[in-house]
Amino acid sequence: MDGKELESVGGFFVVRTGEPGPEHLPLARLYGGDTAPLTARVDRVAARLHTPERRVAASIAHLGLAARLWSTALGPAALHGEFPDPAAGGLHWDPALTSPDDLRWTRAEALPGTVESIREAVQYGHLVPLAEALRRDVRISPRLLWGNAGSALAGALRELTRWARAQHRPEAAARAADLTAGLLAHPDLAGTVRGPALRRTTCCLYYRCPGGGLCGDCVFDSPPRRRA
């Protein structure tokens, strides 16, 4: 897989391999019950966004990691027909870093770039246990988290489509669209986005941050009124 090509798509698509940094930890540890790093990540996001609501910070933290996981599978799969195996034991995460330095792969195996492989590796291998880990720390709706997952996947498709058009790679855009449609057909993701623009049907809660507005794919046309 061409790392430079993936980097040109955007930071979320970059695949870092090799020895993890001193603060990187295997995501398997997080899913196994050690949620302290995830708690720290949510607290860090809350401080950056100046929000007292931890569920808002948890949603934004989750959205970012979901986007990273989808992108590093969808991008290589659309461009090269395979993607790096994100098995939780070999994928390390540093909760203090942002994309693309947050994730590092310590195994070089590649998986076939099919809907089934991506669903097994990303949705079942990460998004399900990540949501469970997050909900052990913060009271947050499963529907909202699946909405984040659908939105993150749609966002990855938009970036890939933009890049493919600029690079005159219609076949890559078509593969990305086919893969995304197949992934969104799963019951957990079906209905999380809608229409040709793949506008989400739930809100990530960013509007509740001081100075926060609406995301480009938000379900709302204007920020809801907040209760006094």
Side-chain angles (χ1 to χ4, degrees):
M1 283 172 275
D2 188 338
K4 288 292 185 182
E5 186 177 49
L6 288 169
E7 188 173 357
S8 72
V9 180
F12 277 85
F13 294 83
V14 175
V15 175
R16 299 268 198 248
T17 59
E19 192 67 24
E23 301 303 321
H24 280 83
L25 58 104
L27 280 166
R29 198 173 101 189
L30 193 75
Y31 304 155
D34 181 9
T35 56
L38 188 58
T39 298
R41 175 64 175 170
V42 172
D43 290 341
R44 187 173 291 108
V45 172
R48 177 167 55 84
L49 297 177
H50 305 290
T51 177
E53 295 184 82
R54 292 194 79 250
R55 70 185 182 113
V56 175
S59 173
I60 302 306
H62 173 265
L63 183 58
L65 189 50
R68 189 82 169 94
L69 291 164
W70 281 131
S71 298
T72 53
L74 187 65
L79 297 179
H80 306 294
E82 61 183 19
F83 65 99
D85 185 357
L91 182 56
H92 289 63
W93 177 62
D94 186 336
L97 300 178
T98 56
S99 174
D101 296 314
D102 55 339
L103 293 181
R104 188 167 293 270
W105 281 251
T106 58
R107 299 174 184 171
E109 291 87 350
L111 298 174
T114 64
V115 169
E116 294 74 19
S117 289
I118 297 175
R119 177 176 292 131
E120 187 67 32
V122 177
Q123 183 175 339
Y124 296 154
H126 286 283
L127 296 182
V128 169
L130 175 61
E132 292 172 352
L134 199 59
R135 295 184 72 237
R136 286 196 292 270
D137 176 59
V138 184
R139 187 174 181 180
I140 190 167
S141 163
R143 182 169 177 266
L144 184 154
L145 295 179
W146 281 119
N148 281 352
S151 174
L153 177 57
L157 173 62
R158 288 189 198 95
E159 286 301 299
L160 276 166
T161 302
R162 174 196 58 77
W163 178 90
R165 287 174 177 166
Q167 299 298 318
H168 307 291
R169 295 281 302 276
E171 80 291 346
R175 281 198 297 268
D178 287 344
L179 289 168
T180 300
L183 291 164
L184 288 174
H186 187 278
D188 288 334
L189 292 164
T192 57
V193 294
R194 66 185 176 195
L198 297 180
R199 186 175 180 178
R200 66 181 294 163
T201 56
T202 60
C203 178
C204 71
L205 305 179
Y206 177 66
Y207 79 92
R208 297 183 66 84
C209 298
L214 300 182
C215 302
D217 67 340
C218 187
V219 64
F220 298 122
D221 294 317
S222 59
R225 279 181 166 272
R226 296 185 61 175
R227 295 177 182 174

